[in-house]
């Protein structure tokens, strides 16, 4: 392996900008090719970057066949992830891909199995895990002062006027955004999904063609219940992009606004009709390398490729978050609770 990780950037649309900016800040990464079916988009991304010597192509297979690449960054649309990932793995490359991992559980399983067979790392860009605020809330919960987690509740209400393909998407909230919130629930609890009941609908004020709101109740390991409420067309009183959280524990609870404020109460005395509680004051601990996630995760990926660690959002783990998305869609479609299986 070269001194710098030689990377092909595949998919040069809007989302690739954050990846390229993060890669430019990491000395250990060289984007040596920009690949997109629209060559003009690939050329434009190269011209906007510091990787002026990178090649431009519309054909990933040809790029990887002709060059000694270490890794592929996949910023394509979800439907293309399986082909990009399998091509990269077949050429011996490690892969870091945009969320969601895949456009179906069948494709996700193929990708996870192919990464294992190739003995290559495939990890997913779940950048919201690397917000310093959620790291602090997780540390607080893991500290055990409030006892075991009993239930987790999250609200996500944002009126997002995207225009374009999202306005036409089926299951637009669950497919396009809920993967973030579901993955955050797994991260905060350390638990995995076992079942889900979900309902979807399209609110009367919606500008989307299909269901843009949902409620879901997940069974999780450890006897935890996780409830989700969300909408892409909630005008006014919007939550943060990380949602709004209420976590109930055995001996207290936590409220987190999804940004930089949380409130903690613990039980001080029991025996009455309502237990007496006291406010717990916590100090925010800085999270090293906090940058919104992209730089931290790409650096984590590089360290993993070099053999130092297993990525936190490696595909074999992240498929469990994806299973929550497709489990919720299956439940909403069938109108009944369903079990969740990612194996």
């Amino acid at each position: 392996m070269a001194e710098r990780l030689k990377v092909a950037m595949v998919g040069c649309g809007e989302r690739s900008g954050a990846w390229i900016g993060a890669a430019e800040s990491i000395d250990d990464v060289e984007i040596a090719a920009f690949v997109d079916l629209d060559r003009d988009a690939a050329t434009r991304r190269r011209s906007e970057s510091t990787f002026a010597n990178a090649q431009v192509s519309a054909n990933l297979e040809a790029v990887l066949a002709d060059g000694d690449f270490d890794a592929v960054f996949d910023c394509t649309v979800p439907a293309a992830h399986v082909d990009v990932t399998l091509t990269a793995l077949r050429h011996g490359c490690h892969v870091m891909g945009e969320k969601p991992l895949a456009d179906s559980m069948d494709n996700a399983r193929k990708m996870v199995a192919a990464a294992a067979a190739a003995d290559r790392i495939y990890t997913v860009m779940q950048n919201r895990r690397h917000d310093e605020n959620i790291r602090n809330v997780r540390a607080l919960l893991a500290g055990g002062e409030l006892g075991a987690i009993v239930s987790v509740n999250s609200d996500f209400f944002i009126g997002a006027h995207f225009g374009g393909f999202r306005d036409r998407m089926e299951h637009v909230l669950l497919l396009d955004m809920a993967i973030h919130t579901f993955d955050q629930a797994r991260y905060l609890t350390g638990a995995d999904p076992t079942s889900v009941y979900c309902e979807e609908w399209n609110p009367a004020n919606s500008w989307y063609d299909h269901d843009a709101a949902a409620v879901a109740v997940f069974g999780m390991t450890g006897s935890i219940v996780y409830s989700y409420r969300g909408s892409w067309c909630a005008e006014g009183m919007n939550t943060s992009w990380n949602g709004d959280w209420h976590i109930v524990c055995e001996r207290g609870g936590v409220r987190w606004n999804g940004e930089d404020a949380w409130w903690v109460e613990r039980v001080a005395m029991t025996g009455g009709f309502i237990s007496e509680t006291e406010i717990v004051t916590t100090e925010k601990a800085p999270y090293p390398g906090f940058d919104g996630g992209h730089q931290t995760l790409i650096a984590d990926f590089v360290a993993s490729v070099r053999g130092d660690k297993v990525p936190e959002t490696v595909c074999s783990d992240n498929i469990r978050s994806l299973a929550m998305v497709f489990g919720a869609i299956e439940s909403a479609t069938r109108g009944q609770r369903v079990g969740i299986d990612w194996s």
Side-chain angles (χ1 to χ4, degrees):
M1 188 179 298
E3 288 187 6
R4 303 180 75 193
L5 204 69
K6 187 177 179 182
V7 177
M9 166 64 74
V10 186
C12 297
E14 178 185 353
R15 289 187 176 181
S16 66
W19 288 62
I20 296 166
E24 288 174 326
S25 69
I26 301 173
D27 292 338
D28 211 14
V29 173
E30 176 193 2
I31 296 180
F34 290 91
V35 182
D36 197 289
L37 294 176
D38 179 357
R39 286 183 61 97
D40 289 341
T43 301
R44 184 167 55 254
R45 280 302 188 200
R46 180 180 65 177
S47 69
E48 295 168 349
S49 77
T50 59
F51 302 108
N53 295 323
Q55 63 176 298
V56 168
S57 177
N59 189 325
L60 177 62
E61 185 83 49
V63 165
L64 298 183
D66 291 342
D68 186 21
F69 284 83
D70 301 306
V72 165
F73 288 166
D74 179 10
C75 287
T76 62
V77 297
H81 288 181
V82 62
D83 287 338
V84 168
T85 299
L86 295 183
T87 298
L89 293 171
R90 190 168 61 250
H91 285 275
C93 292
H94 303 276
V95 183
M96 185 169 194
E98 185 57 83
K99 63 83 185 169
L101 188 157
D103 62 341
S104 71
M105 287 303 295
D106 284 345
N107 280 339
R109 292 182 181 101
K110 289 178 187 176
M111 295 154 79
V112 172
D119 193 25
R120 290 295 181 266
I121 292 166
Y122 172 38
T123 190
V124 181
M125 178 62 81
Q126 294 284 178
N127 57 299
R128 293 178 191 271
R129 280 190 179 216
H130 288 267
D131 177 289
E132 67 178 351
N133 299 303
I134 197 172
R135 306 299 277 207
N136 273 268
V137 174
R138 185 181 189 273
L140 189 157
L141 293 166
E145 186 176 3
L146 302 178
I149 297 171
V150 176
S151 64
V152 177
N153 310 275
S154 69
D155 287 339
F156 178 88
F157 293 107
I158 289 180
H161 294 263
F162 291 108
F165 73 93
R166 287 184 180 85
D167 286 4
R168 313 279 86 85
M169 277 182 67
E170 294 185 0
H171 313 290
V172 61
L173 176 70
L174 292 175
L175 274 178
D176 187 54
M177 190 63 196
I179 182 65
H180 277 307
T181 318
F182 295 169
D183 186 69
Q184 287 172 303
R186 286 189 58 236
Y187 176 69
L188 286 169
T189 61
D192 288 323
T194 57
S195 65
V196 60
Y197 176 76
C198 179
E199 291 196 12
E200 281 184 296
W201 71 97
N202 208 19
N205 70 319
S206 175
W207 47 91
Y208 296 89
D209 287 356
H210 302 283
D211 294 344
V215 294
V217 179
F218 291 88
M220 308 284 284
T221 54
S223 301
I224 296 170
V225 174
Y226 165 51
S227 67
Y228 167 87
R229 301 188 301 180
S231 174
W232 259 145
C233 50
E235 299 279 46
M237 300 301 293
N238 285 178
T239 64
S240 83
W241 287 83
N242 286 321
D244 188 271
W245 296 78
H246 184 178
I247 301 151
V248 181
C249 301
E250 290 176 317
R251 298 189 298 275
V254 179
R255 292 289 305 274
W256 174 44
N257 71 351
E259 296 180 336
D260 59 356
W262 52 85
W263 302 265
V264 185
E265 288 187 355
R266 67 183 168 209
V267 174
M269 183 178 297
T270 60
F273 179 64
I274 296 178
S275 296
E276 293 183 19
T277 60
E278 58 187 6
I279 295 173
V280 178
T281 302
T282 62
E283 295 292 332
K284 179 185 291 188
Y287 176 54
F290 170 64
D291 57 2
H294 287 81
Q295 182 179 340
T296 303
L297 271 170
I298 290 174
D300 185 62
F301 172 69
V302 173
S304 301
V305 168
R306 300 214 178 278
D308 294 344
K309 60 193 301 187
V310 175
E312 186 173 298
T313 55
V314 68
C315 62
S316 55
D317 178 83
N318 191 252
I319 193 173
R320 304 176 189 209
S321 298
L322 186 72
M324 295 176 75
V325 172
F326 286 106
I329 291 171
E330 180 186 356
S331 172
T333 302
R334 294 172 58 184
Q336 63 187 60
R337 176 173 291 277
V338 300
I340 294 179
D341 178 27
W342 56 84
S343 59

